[in-house]
Amino acid sequence: MIRKIYSLFIALSLMVVSACDLDLLDNPNAVTADTANLNLVLNSIQLDFVSFYHASSTNGMRLTRIANQGNINYENAYVPVNFNGLWTTTYSEILNDIKFLEPLAENANFRRHLGIARVIKAYVLMTMVDYFDAVPYTQALDPSNFNPTLDPGPQVYAAALEALTLAKADFAAPSVGTPQDNFYGGVYVNWIKLINSLELKYHLNRKLIDPSGSAAAINALVAANNFIEPGQEFLFRYGTNLTDPDSRHPNFANQYQPGGGGDYQSNWYMYNLTETKGFDDPRARFYFYRQQLTNPTLRQDLQCIGEFPPVHYQVGQFPFCLPGTRGYWGRDHLNNNAIPPDGLKRTAYGVYPAGGRFDNDAAESITPTAGAGGAGIQPIMLPAYIDFMLAEAALTIPGVGGDPKTLMLSGIKKSMDFVRAFSVSTSQSGAINSFQTLDEFNTSVTSYSDYVAAEYDAEPTSRKMHVIAREYWLSLFGNGNESNNLYKRTGQPDGMQPGLDVNFGDFPRSFLYPNVVVSTNPNIPQKASQRLRVFWDTNPEGNDWVY
């Protein structure tokens, strides 16, 4: 996305920096402590973080059926080589750059640079543990150690919390220097609110191993009442430039091509947004753009037409092949059938969050400049997520206050409002407002909320978490990191569409380590199985919990 602003040698054992002796070899092309521009260093950290977020989030979305997973089983879908890039971005780029920046920023009293970098560090460390459990940390960035060992997940999580604590102090302290803040534009009070929001996520994830500690910490955060609010979303905005560089949302760039193509949408996710309640979710037309309004009828377009559903689909009454009758054209979970020339027919990403087209029943083929032109967002942490997390905490952690139903309904409203508000801020505003006025949208949101509220009231206590989790899941289009944690943490929403093949493998409770690491570092042996759980996941092992 941008040219790296400085280079350091990489140790292949972990893709981390190894340093040459600059007293003996002074490389004029390498940035040193004496020549570094900390604004550019921090900018590089932020942009690499966006790449990290997109890669990790995509994995989570595919696991939780928000996005389609096109392999036949989990073992084929999540092979070690797939994580080489994520590992490299984490260690040789983000964490190494932060290590390089920290002493220089401290000496220069660039506390705001430090604060931003440390929040990113905390998010990255937590996310790596959420997907891999034990990862290198204390020895990971030592240039003299080519074979760093793994740190236990709880220790890395604790390091993430420490980074958040330091960042909060950084933003409260007097500071010089003005960083380029790609997320909050220099509104540093929002970073403090974000830190509190990430602490909520931290303590919620740990609820199964330390319920009393989580309860006390969450109650303290609630009492302080300083989370991000509408207008303070933690997100990254893309542009519309096609080349030099391509600044568009990656999902848009991947799909809005001259011949279409790119991802299939998840049939299960579209089914839940358009069929299960008997009416459309108000966000469906923002999430998805249909290139045709009727279902395909020819097997040359869609192989599964005319086929009988697999027996386990029939038994579970899962949708098969297509989620309805109105042109929502995606793929079932873990479907690796051959891909026909349907790139200009299948359902595409909509205006939210990828910057595509709003679905106003135009049924026109997508183009590289269609819709919002790729000016989408990465929704990393939104105010709606806070309400859903608080609803879960209030319902499932003894001693945590709050009304789960009220919090859930607040999360729904914030999600709906933000999806539309972002979408009308793009070039799709005319198409949106001419198809549906704000008043009409608000009426549909009220009807939706009333339906969910009645459903929640009717469910027994043992099923209320299902309703909360399902509504949280439906708000997480574009954020697989939170959906992955939610699913492993609660087992909800349960009843997910299984793999198309009856033997679809073990759901990854943690990913295998990248092959570039285990093949070169004897201190990092490969896991026996991806059934191994991350430290905070004490739920039943195997596909009896999540699948």
Side-chain angles (χ1 to χ4, degrees), residues 40 52 67 189 193 239 252-253 272 276 281 317 319 343 373 443 500 528 531 533 543:
L40 296 180
F52 170 89
V189 292
K193 291 173 177 284
F252 180 96
N272 277 270
T276 56
D281 188 302
Q317 298 183 327
T443 297
L500 196 60
R531 291 167 61 95
R533 295 159 290 178
N543 289 1

Side-chain angles (χ1 to χ4, degrees), residues 335-477:
N335 176 354
N336 73 332
N337 288 340
I339 298 176
D342 63 352
L344 296 176
K345 299 176 181 179
R346 69 181 73 155
T347 297
Y349 287 102
V351 61
Y352 180 93
R357 286 193 67 163
F358 172 74
D359 188 348
N360 60 351
D361 292 338
E364 297 171 349
S365 296
I366 57 177
T367 68
T369 57
I377 57 171
Q378 296 286 6
I380 307 170
M381 183 59 67
L382 304 182
Y385 305 169
I386 306 303
D387 287 341
F388 285 115
M389 286 191 283
L390 290 174
E392 177 189 337
L395 183 67
T396 65
I397 305 176
V400 173
D403 178 50
K405 176 184 172 183
T406 300
L407 289 162
M408 175 190 68
L409 294 176
S410 176
I412 291 171
K413 182 68 164 60
K414 288 177 182 176
S415 173
M416 301 277 188
D417 288 349
F418 178 70
V419 167
R420 189 184 191 280
F422 162 74
S423 300
V424 297
S425 74
T426 73
S427 60
Q428 288 291 277
S429 59
I432 295 167
N433 287 318
S434 62
F435 183 83
Q436 182 186 53
T437 66
L438 177 59
D439 286 343
E440 291 169 337
F441 176 81
N442 287 336
T443 297
S444 69
V445 171
T446 299
S447 297
Y448 184 98
S449 296
D450 290 344
Y451 177 96
V452 174
E455 185 182 19
Y456 182 90
D457 289 339
E459 292 286 3
T461 300
S462 62
R463 294 297 295 167
K464 290 186 186 299
M465 187 62 228
H466 171 79
V467 180
I468 292 172
R470 184 198 63 207
E471 294 307 312
Y472 188 14
W473 176 68
L474 292 173
S475 79
L476 285 169
F477 197 53

Side-chain angles (χ1 to χ4, degrees), residues 51-378:
S51 298
F52 170 89
Y53 172 81
H54 179 71
S56 57
S57 174
T58 298
N59 284 323
M61 286 197 295
R62 297 196 194 287
L63 280 172
T64 57
R65 286 74 154 177
I66 291 177
N68 173 253
Q69 175 50 262
N71 283 271
I72 192 170
N73 57 43
Y74 287 125
E75 283 70 22
N76 285 356
Y78 299 100
V79 294
V81 69
N82 289 354
F83 306 114
N84 288 348
L86 184 67
W87 203 268
T88 301
T89 301
T90 297
Y91 288 102
S92 70
E93 297 174 1
I94 298 173
L95 295 183
N96 241 332
D97 289 0
I98 292 173
K99 180 186 177 185
F100 179 84
L101 177 141
E102 282 183 311
L104 302 179
E106 287 173 351
N107 290 337
N109 199 34
F110 278 25
R111 299 295 294 273
R112 296 188 182 106
H113 291 69
L114 276 172
I116 293 171
R118 284 168 169 162
V119 172
I120 289 173
K121 176 181 180 179
Y123 187 99
V124 168
L125 291 177
M126 280 197 288
T127 303
M128 290 294 284
V129 173
D130 293 339
Y131 283 114
F132 292 99
D133 194 36
V135 292
Y137 179 65
T138 54
Q139 299 177 8
L141 305 178
D142 180 355
S144 66
N145 186 348
F146 291 93
N147 297 308
T149 58
L150 296 169
D151 290 70
Q155 292 183 20
V156 182
Y157 242 53
L161 184 62
E162 180 185 16
L164 291 176
T165 301
L166 292 173
K168 190 176 291 186
D170 289 329
F171 287 118
S175 177
V176 299
T178 303
Q180 179 177 326
D181 180 354
N182 292 322
F183 298 97
Y184 282 127
V187 182
Y188 302 113
V189 292
N190 289 350
W191 282 98
I192 295 175
K193 291 173 177 284
L194 173 65
I195 291 169
N196 295 326
S197 304
L198 294 177
E199 287 180 356
L200 170 64
K201 168 182 170 175
Y202 172 94
H203 292 293
L204 186 62
N205 277 348
R206 295 183 77 259
K207 71 176 185 178
L208 296 173
I209 61 169
D210 184 14
S212 60
S214 291
I218 291 172
N219 282 334
L221 289 168
V222 170
N225 192 27
N226 198 28
F227 301 114
I228 56 172
E229 300 172 352
Q232 299 164 352
E233 295 80 11
F234 184 51
L235 52 83
F236 181 82
R237 296 181 183 272
Y238 291 93
T240 60
N241 207 49
L242 273 73
T243 58
D244 298 326
D246 186 341
S247 67
R248 301 171 300 168
H249 192 291
N251 290 344
F252 180 96
N254 178 257
Q255 188 158 57
Y256 281 67
Q257 302 173 15
D263 258 345
Y264 284 96
Q265 301 301 325
S266 164
N267 276 349
W268 182 244
Y269 202 61
M270 292 192 294
Y271 178 73
N272 277 270
L273 283 154
T274 61
E275 297 292 330
T276 56
K277 292 183 175 74
F279 55 89
D280 285 353
D281 188 302
R283 295 163 292 199
R285 290 179 179 271
F286 298 91
Y287 286 1
F288 309 117
Y289 176 75
R290 292 170 298 163
Q291 297 186 83
Q292 60 180 53
L293 305 182
T294 58
N295 286 356
T297 58
L298 302 176
R299 290 203 65 193
Q300 67 189 41
D301 287 334
L302 191 59
Q303 179 180 326
C304 55
I305 290 176
E307 294 182 355
F308 287 106
V311 173
H312 61 295
Y313 269 48
Q314 297 179 48
V315 171
Q317 298 183 327
F318 295 105
F320 169 70
C321 193
L322 291 160
T325 61
R326 294 174 290 154
Y328 286 101
W329 180 342
R331 283 209 164 185
D332 297 322
H333 189 51
L334 294 169
N335 176 354
N336 73 332
N337 288 340
I339 298 176
D342 63 352
L344 296 176
K345 299 176 181 179
R346 69 181 73 155
T347 297
Y349 287 102
V351 61
Y352 180 93
R357 286 193 67 163
F358 172 74
D359 188 348
N360 60 351
D361 292 338
E364 297 171 349
S365 296
I366 57 177
T367 68
T369 57
I377 57 171
Q378 296 286 6

